[in-house]
Amino acid sequence: MDCMVTGGHVKVLATAIHSLSRIGEDLYLQPQEDELALRTVNSSHSAYACFLFSPPFFQQYSSCKSPTFHCKMAIKCVQAVFRSLSSLEKMVERCRIQLNSEKSRLTFTLHCKHGLLKTHNLSIQDCESLQAVFNKESCANVLRAQPRLLVETVLHFPTSVEEVSVSVSSERVCFRNHVEEEAEQSKAVLTELSLSAKEFEQFTVGCPGRVTFCLKEMRGLLMFAESSGLPVSLHFDEPGRPVILSLTESVLEVNFVLATLSEDSHLCNHFNNSTECHQNPALLPDDFMNDDIDSYLIAMETSELASGGSGCPPTLPRKASMGQLRARASSEGEEEEEEEEEEMRRPPNEKFRSLFFGSMLPTSSQATNQTLRTQEVLASDSENEEEDSSF
Amino acid sequence: MPLSTQSEAGDERYVLVASLDNVRNLSNILKAITFKDHALFNATPNGLKVTVEDSKCLQANAFIQAEIFQEFTIQEDSVSFQVNLTVLLDCLTIFGGSTTPGVTTALRMCYNGYGYPLTLFLEEGGVVTVCKINTEEPEDPIDFEFCSTNVTNKVILQSDSLREAFSELDMTSEILQITMSPSQPYFRLSTFGNSGNAHYDYPKDSDMMELFQCTKTQTNRYKMSLLKPSTKALALSCKVSVRTDTRGFLSLQYLVRNDDGQICFVEYYCCPDEEVEEE
């Protein structure tokens, strides 16, 4: 790979790196013929971020000889290349990125004012591709706004606030800091901001309700959005299903996929009401459970199938997906029960489920199962080479 | 000036009296060499030289010429004493070291001779603080024998450009390698850290390069931990002269302009870390 970034695009690239560094520790780089992908995932695999730069973003772009080349490196090392975002615009005239796969080295050359040349040779590691599979179009709720609006909204939450709940109705959206149920309500500080639909460029609510997700990653995206001035779209529907924050421009696409909290309050109410759970019993095959697949993903599929793929009508039971699974596990008394119970004992903030699961790949080999075929993989992290070779 | 009338009667018994209208002209430059507690003060009729050393490998000197002081009276050819620099700086900034324009702390610094404390009279807004700092036995500073006739390579750069490089240096690298050469890469700073290596190249015809006198290609490594304190001087300075001698010793001279536009110098000497194999 050999590419050149010039002028203001250097800052865009640098801001993207800084934005990704808010999420994960490794930067996954995949130079392809039609785009350069920079991705990361957080340590608990509950947040995934991806920047796709198309060739016109670069003054010059040539991808790798091998179209399937992937590599990763510590993101803070790349961040060090673009340490000062403020001076970057003034100082750096162009940036060349070269990949030497034989030497496992990625070279950033910054051509700065006054002839100063900065060369950073970073060591890279081979890795499998990191790719989350998600579908923004299937989300019932889409809110699009100028970054300023969201930045100013988030500004009201102190940095100690980890999670934010977003509830939407047809006219309003409300941002509120999430207070764990165990926490003493009387001592907790509640901050709530209500925004009118008029403030948004797009305000489509097909599935009114509330989702809770981590603020930290959203701040990371907003940092980039604010700097680039591009409108931010929020795609989401029911609790437990991911929220997707995205920015799109002709030469650039940004997607942040964040896990949302499953709603335990709903769980309690519906725990014994297993009718919903048995709505589609065939859709929850036992080998699925053995596969330790993140339960909400299964439920996501079941609900989609239940709704006949027609999006997410409000009539659809919006109850927390995990509840369905747990109810099922306990009612059938299977050996997964223990596992499920263990999950229930976890502190609430760990309920952001992984967006990735290594065991997803075998699904292709088990394609005889109809459910598995229809199962949409939200994200796959094919670190396991053995599984990969089974293709 | 309440200070000047107050202690005039006893001035004759002091071997050294130095007065400043703005104490920042002294405290700022002392901050540029604060990396160890003990500082050797040597006063001559030309002015004040303050020396700080580390590990017998690094020496920093700050020169404050007699002209910087509103009053500089010395009874002997040379007066030396050692004090705790951190304590001295605490005293000099005892009024908070305000940077508000028009608000300055005045200083009168007196020394009575061997065995006596260093006495500071500080005044701001009519409030006077008197500080007495015990002096220590002065130790002889190391002579780095860095002599301008042995200088192989020398560049003078505007500090701005070097400041940026130093602020971005990979601190996971144990050493900073400096290459100076009459041919490419002319002047190069390199680090070798956990994540890989990085090079900063300054061409000899850069606007930032005020002087380029390199006669022989030289590559030397210096301990990052030793050089790190020099960034304080770099931050204050407007120009820096980088020199290496035949032995690979490094001299960094910083030209510092104070609040009143006067010029002072800070100088760092550093031993090379190890011999680099010729490539």
Side-chain angles (χ1 to χ4, degrees):
Chain A
M1 182 189 81
D2 188 352
C3 60
M4 179 83 87
V5 189
T6 55
H9 283 187
V10 180
K11 199 187 174 187
V12 175
L13 180 71
T15 317
I17 303 282
H18 279 259
S19 174
L20 287 166
S21 74
R22 302 271 189 110
I23 292 164
E25 287 182 353
D26 286 322
L27 177 71
Y28 291 76
L29 182 99
Q30 186 180 13
Q32 285 169 305
E33 212 170 299
D34 56 342
E35 64 191 15
L36 173 70
L38 301 179
R39 303 185 174 99
T40 194
V41 63
N42 70 352
S43 56
S44 61
H45 284 196
S46 64
Y48 160 90
C50 172
F51 283 78
L52 300 173
F53 298 97
S54 61
F57 176 83
F58 303 92
Q59 199 197 40
Q60 167 198 323
Y61 181 83
S62 63
S63 64
C64 281
K65 285 174 207 121
S66 150
T68 54
F69 181 83
H70 310 284
C71 67
K72 69 172 182 179
M73 67 217 82
I75 203 159
K76 63 173 195 292
C77 304
V78 190
Q79 210 183 349
V81 176
F82 304 105
R83 192 158 289 169
S84 161
L85 281 178
S86 52
S87 73
L88 209 65
E89 217 166 8
K90 284 180 279 163
M91 293 304 295
V92 181
E93 286 164 351
R94 56 187 199 276
C95 167
R96 186 172 181 188
I97 309 167
Q98 289 158 288
L99 184 79
N100 185 332
S101 45
E102 281 96 60
K103 283 188 178 169
S104 282
R105 179 194 273 181
L106 186 70
T107 304
F108 287 84
T109 314
L110 303 179
H111 297 257
C112 306
K113 282 239 166 68
H114 314 295
L116 173 60
L117 197 69
K118 299 180 189 173
T119 315
H120 292 261
N121 297 310
L122 309 180
S123 18
I124 54 168
Q125 283 172 270
D126 281 342
C127 67
E128 291 302 322
S129 97
L130 174 82
Q131 180 123 34
V133 180
F134 52 91
N135 189 1
K136 284 184 271 185
E137 280 69 38
S138 74
C139 290
N141 303 327
V142 182
L143 311 183
R144 191 175 67 238
Q146 285 299 319
R148 211 47 272 146
L149 180 73
L150 294 168
V151 167
E152 280 170 5
T153 304
V154 165
L155 215 60
H156 290 282
F157 297 100
T159 42
S160 58
V161 172
E162 286 179 6
E163 293 123 27
V164 68
S165 292
V166 176
S167 35
V168 279
S169 65
S170 52
E171 281 122 41
R172 302 196 76 78
V173 57
C174 181
F175 290 81
R176 177 184 320 166
N177 60 320
H178 174 74
V179 181
E180 284 169 21
E181 270 158 39
E182 285 97 287
E184 266 190 73
Q185 296 280 348
S186 57
K187 281 185 185 164
V189 177
L190 279 164
T191 309
E192 191 174 307
L193 271 112
S194 180
L195 301 172
S196 155
K198 285 178 202 141
E199 306 245 26
F200 290 81
E201 288 177 4
Q202 186 188 349
F203 199 87
T204 312
V205 175
C207 176
R210 186 173 69 181
V211 290
T212 302
F213 53 90
C214 278
L215 251 184
K216 187 182 154 220
E217 287 85 14
M218 182 171 174
R219 286 196 171 104
L221 178 100
L222 288 177
M223 180 196 128
F224 181 81
E226 196 183 16
S227 152
S228 62
L230 295 172
V232 181
S233 303
L234 266 102
H235 305 257
F236 61 98
D237 38 27
E238 59 189 38
R241 292 186 57 179
V243 55
I244 302 145
L245 299 159
S246 71
L247 304 179
T248 320
E249 217 247 323
S250 57
V251 292
L252 173 71
E253 190 186 332
V254 186
N255 290 303
F256 279 44
V257 184
L258 316 178
T260 63
L261 207 61
S262 300
E263 287 211 329
D264 271 333
S265 53
H266 288 291
L267 286 188
C268 303
N269 300 339
H270 296 271
F271 210 74
N272 298 321
N273 180 2
S274 54
T275 48
E276 282 168 10
C277 315
H278 293 290
Q279 246 178 352
N280 296 301
L283 297 173
L284 294 169
D286 290 340
D287 48 348
F288 239 135
M289 308 295 284
N290 292 332
D291 254 351
D292 186 32
I293 286 167
D294 298 278
S295 43
Y296 82 89
L297 289 170
I298 302 165
M300 175 179 110
E301 289 320 307
T302 60
S303 55
E304 268 198 357
L305 287 169
S307 66
S310 63
C312 184
T315 51
L316 191 81
R318 297 197 308 99
K319 302 313 162 207
S321 44
M322 268 173 63
Q324 298 173 11
L325 289 163
R326 279 184 203 151
R328 181 183 147 74
S330 54
S331 66
E332 298 197 358
E334 286 168 1
E335 53 183 339
E336 290 81 29
E337 199 170 357
E338 255 183 56
E339 201 178 293
E340 295 293 327
E341 273 174 13
E342 199 176 291
E343 264 173 22
M344 290 174 77
R345 282 197 297 269
R346 284 182 196 164
N349 58 351
E350 282 184 27
K351 273 196 239 97
F352 287 103
R353 314 305 310 282
S354 169
L355 294 167
F356 298 85
F357 33 89
S359 55
M360 262 332 282
L361 276 165
T363 54
S364 58
S365 59
Q366 297 168 14
T368 44
N369 186 316
Q370 195 235 332
T371 317
L372 288 170
R373 240 187 326 211
T374 52
Q375 167 88 29
E376 186 188 342
V377 182
L378 178 73
S380 69
D381 186 13
S382 49
E383 290 278 358
N384 194 326
E385 287 195 8
E386 205 178 282
E387 285 169 2
D388 211 26
S389 61
S390 70
F391 272 98
Chain B
M1 295 288 282
L3 277 182
S4 50
T5 50
Q6 228 171 31
S7 49
E8 213 157 7
D11 267 4
E12 295 83 45
R13 58 193 178 92
Y14 291 120
V15 293
L16 174 72
V17 177
S19 304
L20 269 173
D21 288 346
N22 184 358
V23 75
R24 277 166 49 82
N25 289 345
L26 177 65
S27 59
N28 270 354
I29 204 153
L30 290 182
K31 279 179 197 162
I33 58 163
T34 309
F35 52 89
K36 284 280 164 186
D37 277 344
H38 302 287
L40 179 77
F41 281 69
N42 179 249
T44 63
N46 292 327
L48 194 61
K49 176 183 164 189
V50 188
T51 306
V52 182
E53 290 177 344
D54 186 10
S55 317
K56 305 235 182 266
C57 294
L58 179 75
Q59 184 182 75
N61 295 298
F63 300 94
I64 307 118
Q65 295 97 301
E67 296 77 56
I68 306 284
F69 296 92
Q70 272 67 50
E71 183 198 352
F72 193 84
T73 321
I74 182 162
Q75 306 297 337
E76 294 163 20
D77 290 341
S78 169
V79 175
S80 291
F81 56 89
Q82 193 168 304
V83 290
N84 186 312
L85 188 58
T86 318
V87 172
L88 175 65
L89 271 171
D90 283 346
C91 294
L92 293 179
T93 53
I94 204 156
F95 287 107
S98 151
T99 51
T100 323
V103 181
T104 54
T105 308
L107 165 76
R108 185 179 188 84
M109 184 167 72
C110 307
Y111 180 57
N112 226 348
Y114 184 81
Y116 284 92
L118 178 70
T119 310
L120 307 173
F121 300 91
L122 291 139
E123 186 265 347
E124 185 178 307
V127 180
V128 178
T129 305
V130 183
C131 307
K132 287 187 178 173
I133 305 170
N134 285 343
T135 53
E136 300 158 1
E137 192 76 39
E139 287 166 31
D140 282 334
I142 302 163
D143 184 359
F144 276 68
E145 290 168 348
F146 194 96
C147 157
S148 54
T149 50
N150 292 334
V151 167
T152 328
N153 295 316
K154 176 181 182 181
V155 298
I156 298 179
L157 284 157
Q158 289 188 20
S159 298
D160 282 339
S161 60
L162 212 55
R163 212 158 20 228
E164 201 201 333
F166 268 81
S167 68
E168 289 180 1
L169 286 181
D170 180 358
M171 288 301 167
T172 63
S173 173
E174 267 184 38
I175 54 109
L176 175 70
Q177 181 177 294
I178 301 179
T179 305
M180 289 163 101
S181 167
S183 56
Q184 272 206 330
Y186 305 113
F187 180 64
R188 165 177 274 194
L189 303 175
S190 309
T191 54
F192 305 86
N194 296 340
S195 58
N197 55 55
H199 305 287
Y200 289 75
D201 296 350
Y202 294 77
K204 66 173 183 177
D205 53 359
S206 165
D207 309 340
M208 290 299 185
M209 190 77 76
E210 300 218 338
L211 181 86
F212 186 86
Q213 279 176 356
C214 294
T215 55
K216 186 174 168 280
T217 303
Q218 240 185 339
T219 302
N220 292 298
R221 296 179 160 202
Y222 304 93
K223 278 220 162 28
M224 192 70 98
S225 56
L226 288 174
L227 285 185
K228 208 169 172 231
S230 72
T231 51
K232 291 180 183 174
L234 186 64
L236 285 174
S237 66
C238 41
K239 284 179 195 178
V240 54
S241 156
V242 183
R243 297 181 299 166
T244 51
D245 71 4
T246 46
R247 302 165 301 164
F249 277 57
L250 176 71
S251 148
L252 298 165
Q253 289 178 320
Y254 301 92
L255 187 146
V256 179
R257 213 176 277 279
N258 69 16
D259 287 356
D260 301 327
Q262 296 159 310
I263 286 169
C264 300
F265 290 95
V266 175
E267 175 182 67
Y268 273 80
Y269 289 118
C270 187
C271 298
D273 194 33
E274 56 184 88
E275 290 283 311
V276 179
E277 287 161 40
E278 291 291 325
E279 284 177 36

